[in-house]
Amino acid sequence: MTVKRQLISRIQSSGTKAQDMKDLKDLLKNGGLSDQDVRNVKESIKVLKAGADSERLSETRVVGVTCAATVFACLQPFSFPVVLLDESSQMTEPQAWLPIVPFGVEKLVLVGDHRQLPPTIQTDIASEARGQGLEFTMFERLARDNPEDVVSLYTQYR
């Protein structure tokens, strides 16, 4: 019996995700698997973990992630009607769009100080990127275009 069939029969028979995860990790630890079997076991672990993450996320009211993490598969089935982007004055506009576009955002709150540090553009073509408008953040653009929506704090609470 191949490892893949063993995995399928174990997962169908055990019924608990925790036990399935333990069985898969034991298979990796015990060794003796072909390269293909190792890839299959790792993929099965990834699938189980994503399912567990999705299950936990479905019971959570507030989710905190980085912009880059919003592309993770476990977040894709969800919608987030309210998104708060902290330090948004330090992220490029394309980076700011990552948590907005896929999740059905109805309300967006940008937090930051556009008079502090600008976004860091780490690339060999930084000057070209700046020439294409990446030196401006979504925070700056929205503050400039919608000054009536800007709320400023006059006291620093650190």
Side-chain angles (χ1 to χ4, degrees):
M1 183 184 275
T2 68
V3 171
K4 194 169 186 174
R5 279 197 222 143
Q6 287 175 347
L7 294 174
I8 292 169
S9 65
R10 276 191 188 183
I11 289 172
Q12 289 172 344
S13 64
S14 73
T16 68
K17 290 179 184 173
Q19 185 60 48
D20 294 343
M21 187 66 80
K22 182 185 177 311
D23 290 345
L24 290 167
K25 287 180 178 179
D26 286 346
L27 276 172
L28 280 180
K29 202 182 325 179
N30 293 337
L33 300 174
S34 71
D35 290 344
Q36 183 59 47
D37 288 339
V38 168
R39 283 192 293 277
N40 289 339
V41 171
K42 286 182 177 179
E43 183 61 30
S44 296
I45 288 172
K46 188 173 155 183
V47 168
L48 266 177
K49 186 170 179 352
D53 290 346
S54 290
E55 197 172 298
R56 261 185 302 213
L57 283 169
S58 67
E59 299 167 359
T60 303
R61 292 189 55 179
V62 176
V63 177
V65 297
T66 64
C67 288
T70 60
V71 300
F72 290 173
C74 63
L75 293 172
Q76 298 314 308
F78 297 98
S79 66
F80 298 99
V82 178
V83 168
L84 185 138
L85 292 178
D86 192 21
E87 297 295 350
S88 61
S89 61
Q90 294 182 9
M91 62 181 69
T92 63
E93 187 156 352
Q95 191 178 15
W97 281 105
L98 287 172
I100 299 170
V101 173
F103 300 111
V105 174
E106 296 169 17
K107 293 184 182 181
L108 176 66
V109 179
L110 302 176
V111 179
D113 183 351
H114 61 290
R115 293 181 188 100
Q116 283 187 333
L117 298 171
T120 302
I121 302 173
Q122 297 178 336
T123 177
D124 293 338
I125 56 169
S127 60
E128 183 181 335
R130 284 187 182 85
Q132 298 294 322
L134 287 179
E135 76 273 19
F136 299 109
T137 65
M138 178 184 289
F139 186 98
E140 282 180 283
R141 185 174 59 76
L142 291 174
R144 182 191 64 225
D145 296 347
N146 304 286
E148 68 281 359
D149 293 333
V150 175
V151 176
S152 297
L153 301 178
Y154 296 101
T155 305
Q156 184 63 261
Y157 294 99
R158 289 191 181 187

